[in-house]
């Protein structure tokens, strides 16, 4: 087992991706792993879509994708892009095309020009010679406008001709492979064959990103390990349908955490199913937290908080931790513009004397709230030293702690050069 692990690590270590320029961002080629998200609005509603693009970008999404599925959506793309720029948002805008991308991109050249990247699903372009012709048409548009593409293979819309042929081969040759193994192989084959076709059409290596997205973590891990051995193109990671809430978070982190720790992946998306009326930014926060947890990126100050137990029957520490997290997220768009390195700030909001003082000392700013039966004093530590003790109502504690955070940020981080 040890030999196998070392062998896999050595393979990945040797893997170096091509760099692809998407707007002002470089993807792959040694660049930091980038966070991507997708809007939930009707793209034809340019105002609402642009507004959500800006919100996602401010939350930490470095690339934003919109579906371009009908003529009205394609016609709205230039206005969406301009509204983003008018709001000071420079996040690259990606168009997601299925079935009719060859038509929309040729009939709406302003849409093709405004987008920073096109996403093509080779399983949804067509069948046989028609598929190759339509795929080549999209690539030709990308060449004309000097745009990169993502060849995005999906498990739910895989080329059925390829699947049928590989299943028949497995049976005829008595290969003994499971249907999952055959499907995983087909995912990789589809991605690589489509990449070859894109190159034959005239796209260059530095214009192609690849993804092979499925719904199950074990399959995603197997597919991307295979893909990373067989291509140098940048890879976009993500479960195609992660699910809701805890399930979506855990399944995404279990798969992408393993791959990212092995050096596989250049952009990621956590495809969470939102609650009705929920906040689309949750998938951005999740992706940022994943990269930050692995030590690959720093996006926002991290808040450590204890889980609570019988020692902490009061909810004060939970409420303060939640309010602190919300305050940090609200201030980060402004702080990022003003201060260099503020995303590395660490905070602790602890609930009792067991771990409270120790964790508070380990953070840049930490507060240890009283647990059940403890004296109602809240010592605050700054960079390991006791700085003050807060007392009073919950609102007074929250206001006092926020003031200390603001003062620390202003006093410890250099103004960002403009």
């Amino acid at each position: 087992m040890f030999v196998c692990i070392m062998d896999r690590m050595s393979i990945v270590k040797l893997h170096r991706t091509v760099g692809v320029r998407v707007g002002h961002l470089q993807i792959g080629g040694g660049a930091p792993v980038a966070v991507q998200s997708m809007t939930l609005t009707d793209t034809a509603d340019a105002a609402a879509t642009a507004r959500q693009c800006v919100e996602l970008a401010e939350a930490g999404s470095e690339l934003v994708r919109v579906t371009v599925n009908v003529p009205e959506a394609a016609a709205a793309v230039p206005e969406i892009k301009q509204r983003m720029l008018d709001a000071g948002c420079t996040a690259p805008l990606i168009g997601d095309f299925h079935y009719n991308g060859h038509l929309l991109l040729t009939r709406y050249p302003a849409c093709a020009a405004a987008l920073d990247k096109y996403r093509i699903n080779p399983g949804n372009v067509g069948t046989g010679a028609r598929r190759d012709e339509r795929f080549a048409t999209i690539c030709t548009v990308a060449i004309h406008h000097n745009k990169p593409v993502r060849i995005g293979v999906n498990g739910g819309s895989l080329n059925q001709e390829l699947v049928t042929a590989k299943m028949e081969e497995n049976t005829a040759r008595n290969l003994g492979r499971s249907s999952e193994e055959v499907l995983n192989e087909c995912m990789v084959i589809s991605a690589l064959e489509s990449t070859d076709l894109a190159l034959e059409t005239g796209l260059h290596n530095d214009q192609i990103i690849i993804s092979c997205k499925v719904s199950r973590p074990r399959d995603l891990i197997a597919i991307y390990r295979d893909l990373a051995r067989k291509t140098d193109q940048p890879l976009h990671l993500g479960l195609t349908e992660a699910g809701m809430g805890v399930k979506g978070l855990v399944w995404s982190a279990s798969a992408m955490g393993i791959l990212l720790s092995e050096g596989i992946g250049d952009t990621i998306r956590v495809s969470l199913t939102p609650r009705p009326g929920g906040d689309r930014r949750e998938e951005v926060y999740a992706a940022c937290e994943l990269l930050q947890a692995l030590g690959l990126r720093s996006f926002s100050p991290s808040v450590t908080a204890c889980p609570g137990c019988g020692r902490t029957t009061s909810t004060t520490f939970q409420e303060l931790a939640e309010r602190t997290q919300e305050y940090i997220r609200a201030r980060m768009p402004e702080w990022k513009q003003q201060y260099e390195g503020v995303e590395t700030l660490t905070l602790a909001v602890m609930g009792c004397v067991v771990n409270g003082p120790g964790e508070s000392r380990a953070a840049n700013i930490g507060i240890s709230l009283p647990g059940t039966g403890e004296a109602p004093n809240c010592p605050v530590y700054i960079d390991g030293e006791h700085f003050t003790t807060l007392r009073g109502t919950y609102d007074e504690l929250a206001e006092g702690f926020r003031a200390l955070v603001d003062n620390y940020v202003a006093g410890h981080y250099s103004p960002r050069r403009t």
Side-chain angles (χ1 to χ4, degrees):
M1 175 62 85
F2 178 74
V3 173
C4 291
I5 291 174
M6 291 302 293
D7 180 59
R8 186 168 66 240
M9 288 175 65
S10 66
I11 290 172
V12 173
K13 237 178 178 181
L14 291 173
H15 174 65
R16 294 291 182 269
T17 59
V18 173
V20 174
R21 204 77 189 171
V22 182
H24 64 88
L25 282 180
Q26 177 171 302
I27 304 301
V33 180
V35 171
Q36 185 175 147
S37 61
M38 188 170 183
T39 58
L40 198 58
T41 56
D42 178 0
T43 308
D45 186 342
T49 302
R51 185 163 55 249
Q52 189 165 88
C53 286
V54 173
E55 290 173 353
L56 292 170
E58 289 181 343
S61 184
E62 294 161 303
L63 305 101
V64 181
R65 182 157 46 108
V66 299
T67 188
V68 187
N69 56 335
V70 292
E72 293 79 5
V77 164
E79 181 182 346
I80 293 168
K81 181 67 174 179
Q82 189 58 54
R83 284 176 175 267
M84 291 172 65
L85 293 173
D86 290 345
C89 178
T90 59
L93 184 64
I94 302 164
D96 195 71
F97 295 96
H98 297 270
Y99 308 111
N100 59 354
H102 60 295
L103 297 175
L104 295 176
L105 283 168
T106 52
R107 293 176 181 175
Y108 294 86
C111 168
L115 291 169
D116 294 290
K117 186 178 74 171
Y118 314 149
R119 183 277 174 105
I120 320 171
N121 182 344
N124 285 343
V125 176
T127 59
R130 183 183 300 173
R131 177 186 64 241
D132 291 351
E133 179 183 341
R134 291 175 176 178
F135 184 89
T137 296
I138 298 174
C139 292
T140 300
V141 174
I143 293 167
H144 175 73
H145 291 281
N146 193 28
K147 307 289 184 178
V149 302
R150 170 159 69 94
I151 296 171
V153 181
N154 269 16
S157 52
L158 191 55
N159 178 354
Q160 290 305 302
E161 296 170 342
L162 174 62
V163 172
T164 299
K166 282 296 179 181
M167 289 292 187
E168 290 175 351
E169 178 189 34
N170 185 52
T171 302
R173 297 177 57 188
N174 196 27
L175 298 177
R177 306 181 72 189
S178 68
S179 58
E180 288 78 11
E181 289 173 325
V182 174
L183 288 172
N184 291 351
E185 180 189 18
C186 289
M187 295 281 291
V188 175
I189 291 173
S190 177
L192 297 180
E193 287 184 346
S194 298
T195 300
D196 288 341
L197 178 56
L199 293 170
E200 290 171 11
T201 304
L203 277 174
H204 300 137
N205 281 318
D206 62 1
Q207 290 178 279
I208 301 171
I209 296 170
I210 298 174
S211 68
C212 288
K213 299 175 78 173
V214 290
S215 298
R216 292 181 294 194
R218 291 182 63 180
D219 290 331
L220 193 80
I221 293 166
I223 288 168
Y224 273 88
R225 282 175 175 166
D226 189 25
L227 196 58
R229 295 185 184 98
K230 293 177 177 177
T231 182
D232 286 333
Q233 300 305 132
L235 304 178
H236 170 68
L237 295 185
L239 294 176
T240 187
E241 300 103 3
M244 297 185 72
V246 172
K247 184 263 184 184
L249 292 169
V250 172
W251 282 42
S252 293
S254 65
M256 289 194 284
I258 289 172
L259 292 169
L260 289 165
S261 68
E262 293 179 358
I264 299 173
D266 301 285
T267 72
I268 66 168
R269 182 190 174 203
V270 178
S271 300
L272 294 179
T273 303
R275 298 183 301 275
D279 190 342
R280 189 59 159 183
R281 293 173 296 181
E282 290 296 326
E283 70 172 42
V284 180
Y285 298 142
C288 293
E289 291 289 354
L290 176 57
L291 294 177
Q292 197 151 330
L294 294 171
L296 296 174
R297 299 284 304 276
S298 290
F299 290 93
S300 178
S302 62
V303 181
T304 298
C306 66
C309 66
R311 293 177 179 270
T312 57
T313 53
S314 167
T315 60
T316 301
F317 85 94
Q318 297 164 302
E319 294 167 2
L320 183 58
E322 182 178 38
R323 191 181 284 192
T324 300
Q325 182 70 73
E326 291 172 351
Y327 182 70
I328 293 297
R329 286 177 175 171
R331 292 301 307 275
M332 270 308 290
E334 179 184 345
W335 282 349
K336 282 194 295 187
Q337 297 294 325
Q338 292 181 328
Y339 301 107
E340 194 80 41
V342 67
E343 62 274 4
T344 63
L345 174 67
T346 59
L347 302 99
V349 180
M350 305 302 295
C352 80
V353 73
V354 173
N355 290 322
E359 291 287 352
S360 296
R361 287 190 184 96
N364 294 129
I365 311 174
I367 184 170
S368 180
L369 278 73
T372 304
E374 294 175 27
N377 300 317
C378 306
V380 176
Y381 300 86
I382 294 183
D383 291 330
E385 300 293 333
H386 179 249
F387 180 78
T388 188
T389 298
L390 298 179
R391 300 177 180 85
T393 66
Y394 165 69
D395 287 335
E396 289 170 338
L397 291 176
E399 184 178 346
F401 192 61
R402 283 199 303 268
L404 291 171
V405 172
D406 285 335
N407 290 338
Y408 188 95
V409 170
H412 287 75
Y413 296 99
S414 302
R416 190 177 293 276
R417 297 176 181 175
T418 57

